[in-house]
Structures are given as structure tokens and as C-alpha cells.
Amino acid sequence: MFISLEHLGKDFRKKPRALDDLTLDLPSGMIGLVGPNGAGKTTLMRILCGIAAPTRGRVLADGHDLSDARTRRALKRTLGYLPQDIEPYPNLTPLEFLEYMGVLKGMDDARERRRQAGELLERVGLSDVSRRRIGGFSGGMRRRVGIAQALMGDPRLLVVDEPTAGLDPEERMRFRALLASLGGERTVILSTHILDDVAQTCPYVCVLRGGRLCYDGAVAGLVNAARGRTWVTPPLPAPPAGAVVANAAATPEGTRYRVVADVPPAGAQPAEPTLEDGYLALVAR
Ligand SMILES: Nc1ncnc2c1ncn2[C@@H]1O[C@H](COP(=O)(O)OP(=O)(O)OP(=O)(O)O)[C@@H](O)[C@H]1O
Ligand SMILES: [Mg+2]
């Protein structure tokens, strides 16, 4: 599915320009969406899913304007959404919850709903507990129920909002592998604060800051924002003024700071930038 944003903007009463003039053509495949807290990631995702309306501009899905109710109805049938704060119904079993989501997505054939629900639960590793109540599940298991429900109906557009937040490393890797297997023909938009998740799964990344797009393109290109601007200081008692600190390592003599700055702090050595350095260079003020 091809998504185009045209001068997209969103105002809230207490937060004008939560999104500000976003113009972008999204490729199909895995797209990472990163940015600091409050950058507008969730707001953008809600607009893409047709849950919230933009204040300015428009979204086209395969050339059809989302402000048209008919387009939104058609999108609903081919959309999977995993919200940031999903809490699946605790009294349902995963099987019941997925079948119910299938009904909401307009899957009319009950046998097909059941078949898909069973297959997806297998895929996310929950077939053993498919008939237990969700209320007794761990956070990671609930998140897996969340991604499985988003995949009901084999959506062409999949929107997942911080799916790995709060997961332990093993569960995160598992989730990452699952996400990586979902791309292909599909468009998958993944928001996260974990750059490594994006680097491992998404060829394409958008960086938002304060509602504006400050980078879009190949993940590897992010490092260029910090190229020639990344330094490691000698041991210091405090971080150098005016520099963006990317890392700090304690030593007996003081702390060595890894910083992104136009001008090197006194005595600092140049360093090869990482994705994190590039990201910080883009989003830090
Ligand atoms: N329903 C709302 N009413 C008022 N303001 C809102 C609403 N939703 C979002 N905002 C504001 O819009 C801005 C963008 O919020 P959004 O939730 O989209 O950011 P985010 O990038 O998803 O952040 P996070 O990384 O914390 O999830 C914030 O300043 C937020 O306070
Ligand atoms: Mg959010």
C-alpha cells in the first residue's frame, strides 16, 4: 500500500502544531518512526488509521483521500493497528479476542476467522494458552496477543506503536524477529524509542521532532548527521558546555564524554559516529 502525506498538520487545543506540515511518500515495506516523547508519532499513526482527523493537509492511501468516509471504511478492512497502550479484554481468551477482532474487521466467514486466529496464535507462540484468559498473561504475552489481533485479516497496512516498550530482552528479540517477518508486500509502520530495533528491521526511517519531519531515508544515512561532529573528551569533572552528550564512561580520573558538537571540546578526539549519535544530532536542541 502506498501512503502519501500532503502538508499534514494537527492542532490540539493545548498543543498547536503537534504535527506540522508533513509531506512525504512512504515506500512499502518496513518503515521505522522515531522521535523523542511528544514528537507526534502516535498522533501521526492515529491519523493514518483514520482514528483522528488532521487539522490541515491530507493522507492518501493508494491515491484515495482518507477524509472520505468510504476510503476509511475500505481501509478498515485492510488495516492492522497495535496501539501504544493496548489492554486486550482480560476476560476473553486470545482465541475469542482474535475472532472478535476478525468480526470488527468485517471477516464474514466464521471458519476462516477461527482458522486465522489459530494460525496467528501459533505464529506468536501462544497456541498453548489460546484458551486461557488474557487477564493472567504477562506483559510480553499480552503484547503478542496485540500483534496477533493486528494481523487478523492479513492487513496490507500494519501500524504498530512502540510494541517492544517494557519487554525483557528475550521477548524483545522474539518480537523483533516476528516484525521482521511481516514486511514484503505489506506496509509496516513501526514506532519505537529503540534505534537498534529500527536498524535491525526497517530499511527506511522517519525521524520526527516537535511535529516536524527532520529526516527520512535509509537508516544507515542517519549517521551522516553526526559525521565529523562526534568526539570523545578526556576525563572531565562535568560534561562540556553546549555539547550534546551521547554517552558517558566513568574512569578514576573523571568521566569521558562522547559528544556531538560542531566544535570539538578542548582535548577531545574525533570518533566514528553511530546511529545513536546521528539520531541525537538530529533531535537534540
Ligand atoms: N488527545 C490529545 N489532546 C491534547 N494533546 C495531545 C493529544 N494527543 C497528543 N497530544 C499532544 O501532542 C503532542 C504529540 O503527542 P504524541 O502522543 O503524538 O507523541 P509521541 O511521539 O507518540 O510521544 P511518545 O514517544 O511519548 O509516545 C504532545 O505534545 C502531546 O501532549
Ligand atoms: Mg506515542
Side-chain angles (χ1 to χ4, degrees), residues 42 84 161-162:
T42 298
Q84 184 165 1
D161 199 353
E162 291 194 43

Side-chain angles (χ1 to χ4, degrees), residues 10 14 19 47-48 51 57 76 80 98-99 125 159 167 171 177 189-190 201 233 253 261:
K10 178 76 179 173
K14 288 191 177 155
L19 292 179
I47 291 174
L48 292 178
I51 298 169
K76 196 175 85 177
L98 262 60
E99 288 187 42
V159 176
L167 298 186
E171 189 73 62
I189 303 176
L190 161 73
T201 51
T233 69
E253 295 81 40

Side-chain angles (χ1 to χ4, degrees), residues 251-268:
T251 73
E253 295 81 40
T255 307
R256 280 184 190 279
Y257 293 95
R258 183 182 181 91
V259 301
V260 180
D262 292 332
V263 182

Side-chain angles (χ1 to χ4, degrees), residues 264-282:
Q269 295 292 316
E272 189 60 26
T274 63
L275 284 181
E276 256 96 17
D277 299 331
Y279 171 76
L280 278 174
L282 284 169

Side-chain angles (χ1 to χ4, degrees), residues 36-43 45 84 161-162 191 193:
N37 291 130
K41 303 179 296 296
T42 298
T43 303
M45 291 179 136
Q84 184 165 1
D161 199 353
E162 291 194 43
S191 91
H193 286 288

Side-chain angles (χ1 to χ4, degrees), residues 57 90 109 145 244 252 280:
D109 183 342
V145 174
V244 175
L280 278 174

